[in-house]
Amino acid sequence: MSEPAPLHVPGWWQDAVIYQVYPRSFADGDGDGVGDLSGLLTRLPYIASLGVDGIWMTPFQPSPQVDQGYDVSDYCGVDPLFGTMAQFDALLDAAHARGLRIFLDVVPNHCSSEHPLFKAAVAAGPGSPERAMFHFVDGVDGDTPPNNWQSVFGGRAWSRVDPGSDADQQWYLHLFAPEQPDWNWRNPAVGDYFEGVLRFWFEKGVDGLRIDVAHALFKAEGLTDSAGTGTVVDGLRSNPQVSDQEEVHEVYRRWRRVAASYSPERVLVGEVNLAPHRAARYTRHDEMHQAFAFSFVKLGWDAAAWAAVGTELEEARREHGAPLTWALENHDIVRSATRFGGGEQGALRARAGLLAILGLPGGAYIYQGQELNLPEVDVPLEARVDPMWTRGGVSRDGARVPLPWTSASENAFGFSPPGSASPWLPVAAGWGSRSVEAHQAGEDSTLQLLRAALELRKQLTEQEILSPDDGGTWRVEDRSLLVCERGDRFLVAVAMGDVPARLPEGDVVLSSSPLTAEGLLPPDAAAWVLTQDS
Ligand code: GLC
């Protein structure tokens, strides 16, 4: 193995590639069928071997697991389901020793209804300072909530504290499940509380935080009815009363100051699910470092759409100065191999998409299993556990199935040790041929393509052909060849039509499928091209 990269490099995050680990589905160390910290520790060499700069871990803090950990009951602990704080400390040390940074998820919009502060608020009753930490409001009457807002998971966004009580007629707000009450960010005590949470993890040496539902913390004053109510189909974006309120920026200015007070500076990356020009405002120089390019994350296989969104993102980047942050997958969305059409074609496209985002200017996030080109799994109805499924009829379980490590099917394809309980979600048919073991053996596998891409990306950056400051110029050639010129010596091309495409002049240094005998890029393939002698 080559020497681990030094961790103290200013601005390292601008073009970093981060691997997202969904701990409960990554590797099960203790045999209970749920992935955990000890499983992740054992598999760290694998993650390091990919050539990524760090890991983002979705929540492992104490939680009743109603929303698979996004309902946090203790922000500064480790749920026994995943292990102990000593194991987390060991993991952090081991990751740092390998040059891998660790990002955690912080969930500031809501907590669990089991959080001690929420329980205290329920107990303290109407009008108390405890209730002022959340949105407790009298309803229109005992049966009608304060306004028409809908929960993203389906149903209304309000629940009665105690439906049977005449004395307590209050409702509380939950943009997600009823077990996830929203904090009241207009109360300064909430901001102080979260500064403590940030400092707790930063003191430990955690390198960065991914901020959950970052654009929704503030609700418009008055909590009045909204024209768009924020349903399971449209998401939060459609309720202007809860999304992108101006006051939220002050939170991230404060968090940036906290992050910058540590050495090396800690990094903030936001789940800011907004249009490019609105999302970019969260990455102004004194706010977050990064925000996922969400308008890009969910695109279909369409050159014109990629070019249009790419151009919009580039304009927003120029206006606000922050590097872009690319992703095609995460634990909430349908796997790209399926989204791009499924089957062999979807798999080729997902592989091409992965190579493409790794060539674009800025940072990139890869979701576990993307390197194995995993498709979305059609999880049997009775096995689905996502609250968005049980409440709203949309399931995210299919992107969260435990990773296949071995070609043989024993122990959930190597996810668990021998003699373990069944995995928390059933593994899928054909998982063995998609396993890490199978990909390690295959010369042309997507796993090998990822390693080659990250190695080359490093070399090209060292040679100053790629730079974190590069801009991108997007266009479509011959109706379906997507081209993004990066800086002045490099471009990414993706053949998104159904005939082979002629590439712009230059040397192809990497492609997701072999070029045709005529030197054309076949359909559903991407290439990196050096456009001038370097
Ligand atoms: C974010 C998470 C998602 C979760 C939701 C509520 O979108 O990524 O998994 O259900 O927030 O916390």
Side-chain angles (χ1 to χ4, degrees), residues 67 70 107 110 153 176 180 210 212-213 271 331-332 396 400:
D67 187 18
Y70 282 96
V107 187
H110 47 267
F153 288 166
F176 294 89
Q180 294 170 292
R210 176 265 190 188
D212 190 62
V213 211
E271 185 196 25
H331 62 290
D332 292 332
R396 300 170 296 180
R400 302 173 175 181

Side-chain angles (χ1 to χ4, degrees), residues 122-144:
V122 169
S128 60
E130 287 86 348
R131 286 211 173 173
M133 294 293 279
F134 300 89
H135 296 282
F136 283 92
V137 185
D138 290 339
V140 175
D141 58 43
D143 299 318
T144 316

Side-chain angles (χ1 to χ4, degrees), residues 493-504:
V494 191
M496 298 178 115
D498 44 21
V499 288
R502 183 163 304 286
L503 286 164

Side-chain angles (χ1 to χ4, degrees), residues 345 477-482 493-504 513-526:
Q345 188 177 48
E477 285 186 9
D478 297 333
R479 285 199 306 267
S480 58
L481 181 73
L482 175 84
V494 191
M496 298 178 115
D498 44 21
V499 288
R502 183 163 304 286
L503 286 164
S513 305
L515 301 190
T516 67
E518 297 76 34
L520 304 177
L521 187 63
D524 307 319

